[in-house]
């Protein structure tokens, strides 16, 4: 009831904002969002405040001295280079950390067969008024409720704009065969998922809901379904709000108008939520990665009233080679030396993501290949959000003769391997 009231209070402004944003996008077919003016540079005095992230991080410079003295990392600002230690409270990502055993336990849980148990296209009361103007016209809606069958089971939902990567992330959480059997596929076409789809792993008391998207490519009546579901579903324990890295790169690190409106909606329904930065494999550099997470944090701080607790970073691609500066941010010695608070896995960059990957492998040319970055962390997060006991699954991990998930990344070993591969490559080059 309280949720409904809160929703009623903001539904109209949200719908208006969605209308404005979607109509603007629809007005010029194929138009890309106009780039906002560059944010002003921030004087270092402002950066000292631990409450707000910086509004500019253009580039990070890393200087690693040859004499093994402590390296320095600086960020250029209008007041000169700012040592990165000063930025620690601002640029570090507060996130839950999981032990390797917990991550393995979560993967083990999701490694079992999962099913699509229900698809819902419309919720009672029937939707009569379009809430996402600018979207295409509606097919005849089939009205149904989620039903008593699924009542009482804690659930989490994947919310995000069309094409944000919701279905792909869910597919990455499950085994290939479960995802195939459940018909869970990602699609290049925005608006591919047209219903609320409830998935369940075995008979465990946990449902993961893949939602239809909002924004460009969505349909009018979906907005009402999304709002009603978020506001009224008492089983909903946590919302995972997905923002794709390509969309942030396109808009020069600004959230789209409709994403901001949805952030306000999510905040108003008072369901805890977690932001997920998806498709991190397309991010071209460490500084772009920092600016993506920074943009999300800024909006979470400004608008989410402390409800959105963290930013998880994921790629649904099974293997990625980040193009980031491996030596700068993945080097544990370096990481340790730059400041007490700035150590893995809190650090942005490769250190953070590789710590979240199931496995990191060094290729012959020294490139690092990460397997399923962020996926096990999302699995563990979901288990915690729905009250599953990770410890119960940890026990099973140790009893398994061959754990399905490879051991967690050893950054030191990775560093040694990178050095070895690079020396080998150099030698081969000299010989040629
Ligand atoms: N590079 C890259 N592409 C991705 C990733 N995740 C999803 N994609 C692609 O993004 C597109 C959209 O993915 P979906 O999972 O269908 O997105 P969605 O949010 O479910 O979209 P709707 O169902 O339309 O709301 C597909 O072409 C995917 O292959 C990722 O981690 N990396
Ligand atoms: Mg989908």
């Amino acid at each position: 009831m309280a949720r409904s009231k809160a929703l009623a209070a903001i539904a109209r402004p949200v719908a208006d904002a969605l209308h404005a944003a979607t109509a603007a996008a629809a007005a010029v077919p194929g138009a890309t969002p106009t780039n906002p003016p560059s944010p002003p540079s921030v004087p270092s005095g402002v950066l000292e405040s631990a409450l707000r992230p910086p509004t500019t991080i253009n580039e990070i410079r890393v200087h690693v001295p040859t004499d093994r003295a402590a390296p320095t990392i600086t960020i250029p600002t209008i007041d000169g280079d700012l040592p990165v230690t000063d930025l620690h409270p601002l640029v570090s990502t507060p996130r839950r950390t999981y032990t390797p055993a917990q991550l393995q336990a979560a993967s083990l849980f999701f490694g079992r067969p999962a099913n699509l148990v229900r698809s819902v296209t419309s919720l009672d009361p029937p939707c009569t008024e379009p809430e996402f103007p600018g979207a295409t016209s509606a097919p005849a809606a089939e009205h149904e409720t989620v039903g008593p069958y699924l009542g009482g089971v804690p659930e989490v939902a994947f919310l995000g704009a069309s094409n944000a990567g919701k279905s792909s992330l869910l597919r990455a959480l499950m085994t290939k065969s479960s995802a195939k059997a459940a018909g869970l596929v990602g699609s290049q076409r925005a608006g591919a998922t047209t219903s609320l789809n409830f998935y369940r792993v075995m008979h465990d008391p946990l449902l993961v809901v893949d939602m239809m998207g909002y924004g460009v490519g969505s349909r009018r009546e979906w907005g009402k379904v999304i709002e009603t579901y978020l506001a009224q579903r008492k089983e909903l324990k946590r919302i995972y709000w997905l923002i794709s890295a390509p969309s942030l790169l396109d808009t020069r690190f600004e959230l789209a108008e409709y994403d901001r409106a949805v952030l306000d909606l999510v905040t108003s329904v008072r369901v805890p939520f977690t932001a997920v930065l998806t498709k991190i494999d397309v991010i071209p550099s460490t500084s772009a990665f920092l600016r993506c997470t920074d943009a999300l944090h800024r909006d979470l701080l400004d608008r989410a009233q402390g409800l959105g607790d963290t930013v998880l970073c994921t790629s649904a691609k099974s293997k990625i080679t980040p193009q980031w500066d491996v030596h700068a941010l993945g080097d544990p010695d370096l990481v340790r030396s730059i400041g007490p608070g700035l150590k893995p896995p809190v650090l942005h960059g490769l250190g953070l993501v590789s710590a979240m990957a199931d496995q990191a492998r060094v290729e012959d040319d020294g490139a690092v290949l990460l397997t399923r970055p962020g996926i096990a962390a999302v699995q563990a997060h979901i288990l915690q959000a729905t009250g599953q006991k990770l410890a119960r699954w940890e026990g099973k991990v140790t009893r398994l003769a061959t754990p399905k998930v490879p051991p967690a990344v050893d950054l030191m070993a990775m560093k040694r391997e990178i050095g070895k591969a690079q020396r080998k490559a150099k030698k081969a080059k000299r010989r040629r």
Side-chain angles (χ1 to χ4, degrees):
M1 197 62 198
R3 277 192 197 176
S4 313
K5 269 193 187 160
L7 179 79
I10 76 137
R12 183 48 49 195
V14 166
D16 289 347
L18 288 167
H19 175 63
T22 324
V28 189
T32 45
T34 44
N35 288 336
S38 302
S41 292
V42 180
S44 54
V46 176
L47 290 176
E48 274 155 33
S49 151
L51 292 175
R52 261 166 205 284
T55 54
T56 49
I57 299 180
N58 294 324
E59 123 187 42
I60 291 188
R61 288 187 198 140
V62 183
H63 172 63
V64 185
T66 43
D67 59 359
R68 297 189 66 83
T72 53
I73 297 187
T74 53
I75 294 180
T77 72
I78 50 168
D79 293 340
D81 285 356
L82 192 73
V84 109
T85 38
D86 288 359
L87 279 170
H88 149 62
L90 308 166
V91 300
S92 67
T93 310
R95 70 178 196 97
R96 290 166 205 220
T97 51
Y98 298 103
T99 63
Q102 284 176 323
L103 293 177
Q104 285 188 17
S107 292
L108 198 66
F109 181 97
F110 280 95
R112 295 168 307 139
N115 296 307
L116 171 65
V117 288
R118 185 121 190 172
S119 270
V120 174
T121 51
S122 172
L123 295 167
D124 278 338
C127 138
T128 49
E129 208 184 320
E131 289 292 336
F132 282 66
T136 55
S137 62
E142 174 198 338
H143 297 300
E144 52 181 328
T145 56
V146 176
Y149 167 61
L150 297 176
V153 175
E155 67 199 31
V156 297
F158 283 9
L159 171 71
S162 295
N163 228 14
K166 302 176 291 297
S167 304
S168 301
L169 179 59
L170 189 49
R171 188 175 54 165
L173 299 183
M174 296 179 181
T175 61
K176 277 190 186 141
S177 53
S178 292
K180 200 171 164 197
L184 197 54
V185 284
S187 164
Q188 281 186 346
R189 184 175 57 83
T193 304
T194 58
S195 49
L196 296 176
N197 295 331
F198 293 72
Y199 295 88
R200 188 171 196 165
V201 180
M202 300 284 283
H203 302 293
D204 279 302
L206 179 170
L207 290 167
V208 185
V209 185
D210 185 20
M211 302 182 80
M212 55 278 260
Y214 55 81
V216 179
S218 68
R219 293 208 186 116
R220 291 170 181 231
E221 70 279 10
W222 293 349
K224 185 71 191 171
V225 175
I226 293 171
E227 287 185 12
T228 309
Y229 171 78
L230 295 181
Q232 294 179 4
R233 184 73 175 159
K234 63 179 191 314
E235 285 81 2
L236 182 60
K237 298 297 175 220
R238 183 164 289 266
I239 297 164
Y240 290 92
W241 178 55
L242 276 63
I243 301 290
S244 81
S247 69
L248 281 179
L249 294 174
D250 279 355
T251 55
R252 293 190 58 204
F253 312 105
E254 291 286 332
L255 280 184
E257 191 71 22
Y258 48 72
D259 275 325
R260 290 220 166 102
V262 167
L263 180 54
D264 289 342
L265 168 70
V266 168
T267 305
S268 79
V269 298
R270 311 301 297 172
V271 176
F273 73 95
T274 298
V276 183
L277 178 67
T278 59
K279 310 189 191 180
I280 57 166
D281 52 285
V282 305
I283 300 178
S285 65
T286 315
S287 58
F289 177 70
L290 281 170
R291 292 193 72 180
C292 285
T293 47
D294 177 47
L296 279 175
H297 279 139
R298 207 171 42 221
D299 276 282
L300 291 178
L301 284 172
D302 283 352
R303 306 175 92 93
Q305 302 161 18
L307 274 178
D309 64 347
T310 191
V311 177
L312 295 170
C313 305
T314 63
S315 170
K317 286 205 165 173
S318 54
K319 288 190 173 136
I320 69 165
T321 301
Q323 299 154 36
W324 310 337
D325 187 347
V326 172
H327 293 285
L329 293 176
D331 182 329
D333 282 345
L334 171 71
V335 168
R336 259 181 234 118
S337 63
I338 41 184
L342 197 64
K343 53 182 180 246
V346 176
L347 181 71
H348 282 282
L350 188 70
L352 170 80
V353 181
S354 60
M356 291 166 84
D358 285 353
Q359 198 179 31
R361 191 156 58 78
V362 181
E363 303 282 84
D364 281 349
D365 60 356
V368 178
L369 194 75
L370 300 178
T371 312
R372 294 162 53 84
I375 302 303
V378 173
Q379 290 170 328
H381 209 283
I382 290 176
L383 291 189
Q384 288 192 324
T386 50
Q388 304 291 316
K389 290 211 163 52
L390 272 171
R392 203 181 120 218
W393 287 90
E394 277 178 70
K396 295 195 182 182
V397 171
T398 52
R399 280 206 301 278
L400 277 182
T402 45
K404 277 189 184 167
V405 184
V409 176
D410 177 348
L411 281 175
M412 290 303 278
M414 198 166 99
K415 189 191 157 204
R416 279 194 298 275
E417 273 184 68
I418 292 173
K420 225 161 79 188
Q422 284 190 334
R423 278 194 299 278
K424 211 168 120 190
K426 241 189 214 165
K427 240 187 208 169
K429 204 173 155 192
R430 254 191 258 130
R431 252 188 250 128
R432 277 203 301 272

